[in-house]
Amino acid sequence: MPSLLVVIFVVELAVQIINNFGAAAINSLVRECRAHALRIQRLITVPLQLWRIYTSLPTQLSKDYAHQRKLQAEYLAVRKELNGTSSQDQFARWAKLRRKHDTLLEELEKKSTTQVLLCSSQARC
């Protein structure tokens, strides 16, 4: 927690900056920063949209990508259920979930290493 002296200093510094530069100049600077941030956001969303379109095409890559997303969603659901299950009170259910969790994790790791190997063997990813 900042001391009272630091808070007073920061408030006085802000007042002096506003008085010296003027509220209009500061507001225009903030507007320019917001406009720049919107331009950057648009630049970022275009490649994401292109990637979504590319992965929705009926190619082998899109099928693999969809399968991996399905596996990840299933893994996260099992993991959430496993975390909510007591290993002492419901051991049989916990053990079954644990085996499923380990199987899904192993399959996801195998898929990711396969993709890394394919990516490294090709010139592009």
Side-chain angles (χ1 to χ4, degrees):
M1 174 120 186
S3 69
L4 183 61
L5 186 62
V6 173
V7 172
I8 292 172
F9 175 75
V10 169
V11 169
E12 285 296 322
L13 182 65
V15 168
Q16 289 299 321
I17 289 173
I18 291 171
N19 285 339
N20 287 337
F21 294 110
I26 293 173
N27 284 337
S28 67
L29 179 66
V30 169
R31 265 188 249 115
E32 288 176 22
C33 288
R34 285 183 184 160
H36 187 65
L38 286 174
R39 277 186 248 131
I40 290 174
Q41 185 179 9
R42 284 189 204 118
L43 288 174
I44 291 173
T45 56
V46 169
L48 290 174
Q49 291 170 347
L50 290 175
W51 176 250
R52 287 185 186 128
I53 291 170
Y54 180 68
T55 56
S56 67
L57 295 174
T59 62
Q60 185 61 36
L61 176 68
S62 64
K63 291 175 186 175
D64 291 343
Y65 187 65
H67 182 65
Q68 186 173 6
R69 280 185 301 185
K70 181 183 166 198
L71 277 176
Q72 285 176 341
E74 187 178 353
Y75 168 76
L76 290 174
V78 168
R79 186 171 141 194
K80 184 177 180 182
E81 192 175 351
L82 182 66
N83 287 338
T85 305
S86 171
S87 62
Q88 294 176 345
D89 297 338
Q90 301 170 329
F91 181 75
R93 182 171 180 231
W94 179 84
K96 182 179 177 184
L97 286 172
R98 182 66 188 196
R99 285 191 298 272
K100 189 172 183 180
H101 173 270
D102 292 344
T103 305
L104 287 171
L105 181 62
E106 188 176 305
E107 193 173 340
L108 275 172
E109 287 176 349
K110 185 168 64 171
K111 250 201 179 320
S112 67
T113 57
T114 304
Q115 286 177 352
V116 168
L117 290 174
L118 284 174
C119 186
S120 65
S121 67
Q122 297 174 352
R124 56 188 166 85
C125 298

